[in-house]
């Protein structure tokens, strides 16, 4: 089956998984949009849902590129809003696969806002888990990912902490039932 750039291809089309691990850099994606007046909440700043949609879209593009085909969101695990956005801002979300399991991918998304010619301001950060699926919607294996730079090693270590935390939380919640 021919390879496809999943971010550009049909979402339901699945190509053979590449068994070779990939670099963190290889499936990075960036997505931008303008905050319009229509995106404001009643207090004048940009609605949070605007960023949530941007985050999920860019995370999907990254997951699909890494997994050589369609992937679905399992959890938006952590979303931090660091600064408000305002009409006229250009918001840019940058996503990368920071860790993998057998079929799942931990995606980190970092969002900045640019106001005119000013410096980019960090506005949000999110951590999501996607699962690669076949054409029937069943989980399928994904290539591993490996870091190359100091910052990427730090992101990979943070994923290990998140995975441990997830396990502990799941256990504690089961005990509380
Ligand atoms: C994602 C989905 C295919 C998983 O199916 P499943 O039968 O639960 O699959 P599994 O139990 O084998 O889990 C698959 C992977 O997801 C991970 N996973 C499942 N639930 C999770 C959770 N709450 N948090 C983090 N990871 C989770 C598992 O750890 C496993 O990872 P691994 O293979 O790397 O070890 C299924 O739950 C689904 O289709 N969900 C709906 C997705 C959706 O519609 N998203 C919104 C629109 S894109």
């Amino acid at each position: 089956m021919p390879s496809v750039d999943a971010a550009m291809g049909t979402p339901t089309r699945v190509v053979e998984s590449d068994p070779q691990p990939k670099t963190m850099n290889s499936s990075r994606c960036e997505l931008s949009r303008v905050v319009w007046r229509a995106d404001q909440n009643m207090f004048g700043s940009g609605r949070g849902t605007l960023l949530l949609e941007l985050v999920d879209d860019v995370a999907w593009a990254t997951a699909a590129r890494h997994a050589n085909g369609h992937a679905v969101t399992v959890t938006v695990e952590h979303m931090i809003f660091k600064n408000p956005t305002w009409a006229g801002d250009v918001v840019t979300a940058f996503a990368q696969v920071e860790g993998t399991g057998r079929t799942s991918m931990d995606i980190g998304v970092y969002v900045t806002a640019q106001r005119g010619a000013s410096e980019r301001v960090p506005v949000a950060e999110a951590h999501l888990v996607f699962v690669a699926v076949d054409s029937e919607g069943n989980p399928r294996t994904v290539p591993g990912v490996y870091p190359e730079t100091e910052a990427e090693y730090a992101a990979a270590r943070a994923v290990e902490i998140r995975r441990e935390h997830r396990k502990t939380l799941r256990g504690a919640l089961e005990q509380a039932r």
Side-chain angles (χ1 to χ4, degrees):
M1 219 184 287
S3 177
V4 67
D5 180 348
M8 300 296 289
T10 310
T12 49
R13 185 175 171 203
V14 172
V15 296
E16 272 170 25
S17 272
D18 182 348
Q20 296 299 317
K22 296 183 174 184
T23 63
M24 226 181 251
N25 184 41
S26 62
S27 20
R28 275 191 186 130
C29 288
E30 208 175 83
L31 194 59
S32 297
R33 62 156 293 181
V34 176
V35 181
W36 300 108
R37 280 197 196 285
D39 298 315
Q40 289 173 322
N41 61 32
M42 67 183 89
F43 306 107
S45 57
R47 283 180 293 110
T49 46
L50 176 149
L51 294 188
L52 274 169
E53 189 175 352
L54 186 70
V55 159
D56 193 45
D57 285 353
V58 74
W60 173 80
T62 297
R65 183 172 285 178
H66 182 84
N68 302 315
H70 190 33
V72 291
T73 319
V74 184
T75 173
V76 181
E77 197 160 56
H78 201 177
M79 175 106 192
I80 313 158
F81 294 94
K82 297 178 171 183
N83 282 295
T85 59
W86 302 99
D89 283 358
V90 177
V91 285
T92 301
F94 160 90
Q96 60 188 10
V97 176
E98 297 179 333
T100 54
R102 195 179 68 80
T103 65
S104 64
M105 294 161 279
D106 284 75
I107 318 279
V109 183
Y110 308 89
V111 191
T112 56
Q114 184 141 31
R115 264 153 231 160
S118 67
E119 289 282 294
R120 284 187 178 196
V121 180
V123 290
E125 179 176 328
H127 297 275
L128 305 87
V129 179
F130 275 70
V131 169
V133 290
D134 62 19
S135 48
E136 261 92 58
N138 298 314
R140 62 187 173 87
T141 54
V142 294
V145 69
Y146 64 90
E148 295 176 296
T149 67
E150 251 326 295
E152 290 174 358
Y153 273 100
R157 284 194 296 273
V159 165
E160 283 170 28
I161 294 167
R162 270 192 207 94
R163 284 181 174 249
E164 269 309 303
H165 178 71
R166 208 177 287 152
K167 220 190 297 172
T168 310
L169 181 66
R170 202 181 310 127
L173 289 174
E174 270 164 22
Q175 278 198 344
R177 276 197 200 119

